[in-house]
């Protein structure tokens, strides 16, 4: 071994340790001393001693791809678009060019995977994506509410921690919009308590049931931006979630089509607000033979800075093209006085009726009130309908309620 140098290759066998004719390459060498001639070689098994073909089983990667394939939405809704939403989404110059019969829909959806960052709004009639939106927050009513309740309990929430409250935000439950004045999110976002003002914009307050869906269109709603629709069109939408893998195919069998017949909600006047009977807001009962109805003006064109509700005791600007319609029904649903065929009530906000023996004649009464544009002949989208008891009504075991009707 005295003539071996660093980097040299040698063949080595040691039967005791199972080493047979194996090639090594010298990495270092100690050649001993004058008194101890032992040579110590440090060597590594040389690559030439490996077989001609090596078979290696790779280890699986520890990294997990964070993206999921796009999956169909889990909940979805569509509602007619009103004037306020259009005024928030388009500059006035664009609004001025809209078709006189313009109509559209706001769409909302919840998604199956957390990495879904948006969804496309696919219209079947044009076979293309005509708009886009973000996955929506969502919940369900945990307790029923009547027409005046301003505390809303929400369960089974999604994305509730992202919700923004304020004078320009609203929620939607069925066909009623409510201004979102406050929100307290609990249980990791699965539950929330909302403080609301009722009958926002062009809607009226009404009762809702346990399990009714709660949506947040003011923050998440999307609409078509490449197609302009008109009143009466029927459109079927398919909502196509998008992840890092791409967009869901509109032909996917898991998609539930979302059809809607569009309505010219955008052009219609707001119903009047803050309806009082004998000085009380939406009372359960009235103990008098004289009924004094008062309400407040609402003006859709001028009230766009913040969301105005039917709860707000504030007068909107007078619209000289608006007239009000009001009539009364008895406990059997028969008209008592007024109505479109006999009683337009121009511009005023107070009306008084006096009856002899009111509670005997009509133990329960329903008032219906709405606005109408005189020139176009367009009534409000919704009628404010409120049922109340007179002094003798309790004897008939009637209950108070307020409901929505559409024109």
């Amino acid at each position: 071994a005295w003539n071996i140098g660093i980097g040299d290759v040698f063949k080595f066998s040691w039967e005791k340790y199972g080493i047979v004719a194996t090639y090594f390459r010298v990495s270092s060498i100690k050649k001993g001393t004058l008194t101890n001639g032992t040579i110590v070689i440090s060597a590594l098994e040389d690559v030439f001693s490996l077989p001609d073909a090596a078979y290696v089983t790779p280890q699986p990667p520890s990294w997990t791809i964070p993206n999921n394939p796009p999956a169909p939405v889990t909940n979805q809704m569509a509602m007619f678009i009103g004037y306020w939403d259009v005024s928030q989404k388009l500059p006035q110059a664009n609004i001025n060019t809209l078709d006189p019969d313009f109509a559209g829909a706001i769409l909302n959806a919840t998604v199956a995977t957390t990495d879904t960052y948006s969804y496309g709004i696919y219209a079947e009639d044009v076979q293309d994506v005509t708009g886009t939106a973000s996955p929506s927050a969502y919940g369900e009513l945990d307790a029923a509410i009547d027409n005046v309740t301003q505390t809303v309990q929400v369960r089974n929430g999604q994305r509730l921690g992202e919700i923004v409250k304020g004078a320009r935000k609203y929620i939607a439950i069925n066909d009623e919009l409510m201004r979102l004045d406050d929100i307290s999110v609990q249980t990791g976002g699965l539950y929330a308590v909302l403080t609301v003002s009722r009958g926002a914009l062009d809607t009226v307050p009404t009762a809702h049931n346990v399990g009714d869906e709660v949506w947040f269109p003011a923050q998440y709603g999307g609409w078509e931006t490449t197609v302009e629709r008109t009143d009466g069109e029927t459109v079927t939408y398919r909502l196509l979630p998008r992840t890092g893998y791409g967009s869901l195919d509109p032909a996917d069998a898991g998609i539930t089509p979302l059809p809607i017949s569009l309505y010219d909600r955008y052009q219609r006047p707001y119903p009047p607000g803050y309806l009082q009977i004998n000085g009380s807001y939406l009372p359960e009962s009235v103990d008098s033979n004289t009924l004094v109805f008062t309400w407040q003006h609402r003006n859709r064109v001028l009230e766009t800075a913040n969301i105005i509700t039917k709860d707000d005791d504030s007068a909107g600007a007078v619209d000289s093209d608006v007239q009000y319609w009001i009539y009364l029904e008895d406990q059997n649903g028969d008209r008592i006085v007024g109505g479109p065929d006999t009683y337009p009530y121009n511009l005023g906000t107070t009306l008084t009726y006096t009856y002899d023996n009111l509670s005997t004649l009509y133990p329960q009464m329903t008032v219906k009130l709405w606005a109408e544009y005189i020139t176009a002949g367009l009534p409000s989208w919704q009628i404010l309908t409120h049922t109340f008891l007179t002094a003798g009504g309790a004897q008939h075991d009637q209950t108070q309620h307020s409901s929505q009707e559409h024109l």
Side-chain angles (χ1 to χ4, degrees):
W2 61 270
N3 60 345
I4 291 179
I6 294 174
D8 290 345
V9 177
F10 62 91
K11 184 169 67 175
F12 180 74
S13 298
W14 193 347
E15 185 177 352
K16 178 180 178 180
Y17 292 100
I19 300 174
V20 179
T22 301
Y23 291 89
F24 290 86
R25 187 174 296 274
V26 178
S27 59
S28 66
I29 185 169
K30 295 180 180 179
K31 295 189 175 182
T33 64
L34 292 175
T35 59
N36 183 1
T38 303
I39 297 174
V40 179
I41 295 173
S42 296
L44 301 173
E45 187 175 358
D46 192 74
V47 67
F48 296 110
S49 69
L50 294 177
D52 292 337
Y55 298 91
V56 179
T57 302
Q59 294 294 318
S62 58
W63 181 70
T64 302
I65 299 175
N67 297 325
N68 295 287
V73 301
T74 50
N75 300 282
Q76 59 186 8
M77 68 88 80
M79 71 179 202
F80 305 126
I81 193 166
Y83 186 86
W84 192 86
D85 286 289
V86 174
S87 72
Q88 305 305 302
K89 296 176 182 294
L90 292 180
Q92 189 60 48
N94 294 48
I95 293 176
N96 293 339
T97 65
L98 290 176
D99 190 289
D101 293 323
F102 167 77
I106 296 179
L107 298 108
N108 293 263
T110 61
V111 294
T113 62
T114 56
D115 60 321
T116 300
Y117 59 85
S118 70
Y119 58 87
I121 299 171
Y122 179 90
E124 288 192 353
D125 59 336
V126 298
Q127 297 187 358
D128 200 358
V129 172
T130 56
T132 188
S134 299
S136 177
Y138 169 86
E140 300 168 357
L141 283 184
D142 193 43
I145 58 175
D146 61 17
N147 62 307
V148 295
T149 300
Q150 293 185 311
T151 300
V152 177
Q153 301 175 50
V154 177
R155 69 188 183 193
N156 297 332
Q158 299 183 37
R159 308 175 79 108
L160 294 179
E162 302 175 3
I163 294 301
V164 178
K165 63 182 179 180
R168 301 171 65 84
K169 300 297 181 182
Y170 67 80
I171 69 172
I173 305 177
N174 299 314
D175 281 342
E176 182 185 355
L177 306 182
M178 308 175 192
R179 188 178 64 218
L180 182 58
D181 297 327
D182 200 5
I183 179 170
S184 174
V185 180
Q186 304 167 16
T187 320
L190 296 176
Y191 185 87
V193 178
L194 315 181
T195 302
V196 299
S197 293
R198 303 293 300 275
L201 303 174
D202 60 349
T203 69
V204 300
T206 189
H208 303 280
N209 298 317
V210 174
D212 284 351
E213 294 182 337
V214 181
W215 291 93
F216 301 83
Q219 185 166 339
Y220 295 99
W223 64 323
E224 294 182 282
T225 55
T226 62
V227 176
E228 184 176 325
R229 307 283 184 181
T230 56
D231 179 42
E233 282 192 60
T234 298
V235 188
T236 297
Y237 297 106
R238 291 174 177 265
L239 306 185
L240 310 179
R242 298 163 175 164
T243 70
Y245 275 97
S247 177
L248 191 66
D249 191 316
D252 191 288
I255 296 176
T256 301
L258 186 59
I260 183 172
S261 295
L262 299 176
Y263 180 84
D264 56 352
R265 175 178 180 176
Y266 162 81
Q267 292 87 344
R268 295 175 180 269
Y270 287 179
Y274 206 72
L275 173 63
Q276 292 182 293
I277 307 174
N278 291 3
S280 297
Y281 176 67
L282 301 181
E284 294 186 9
S285 61
V286 176
D287 187 8
S288 174
N289 284 330
T290 298
L291 302 177
V292 181
F293 298 95
T294 60
W295 57 89
Q296 301 283 13
H297 293 300
R298 294 289 183 259
N299 190 313
R300 90 191 214 286
V301 176
L302 299 182
E303 296 174 6
T304 57
N306 294 315
I307 293 175
I308 305 299
T309 74
K310 302 305 173 288
D311 290 348
D312 293 329
D313 182 15
S314 59
V318 175
D319 187 335
S320 60
D321 192 41
V322 165
Q323 64 185 6
Y324 298 113
W325 298 94
I326 182 170
Y327 64 81
L328 298 174
E329 293 178 346
D330 64 16
Q331 60 273 18
N332 300 315
D334 296 326
R335 185 178 303 176
I336 299 171
V337 65
D341 55 345
T342 59
Y343 207 95
Y345 193 71
N346 271 14
L347 294 179
T349 57
T350 301
L351 192 62
T352 301
Y353 291 119
T354 299
Y355 300 89
D356 293 329
N357 302 315
L358 178 62
S359 62
T360 301
L361 291 171
Y362 309 118
Q364 176 179 283
M365 303 181 77
T366 297
V367 56
K368 296 188 176 183
L369 176 65
W370 69 95
E372 180 181 70
Y373 280 137
I374 299 170
T375 303
L378 286 175
S380 307
W381 178 47
Q382 294 181 4
I383 302 174
L384 177 55
T385 303
H386 182 67
T387 300
F388 58 95
L389 305 176
T390 61
Q395 300 173 8
H396 296 262
D397 193 28
Q398 303 290 346
T399 56
Q400 170 268 352
H401 70 279
S402 183
S403 61
Q404 291 170 331
E405 291 187 27
H406 296 277
L407 288 166

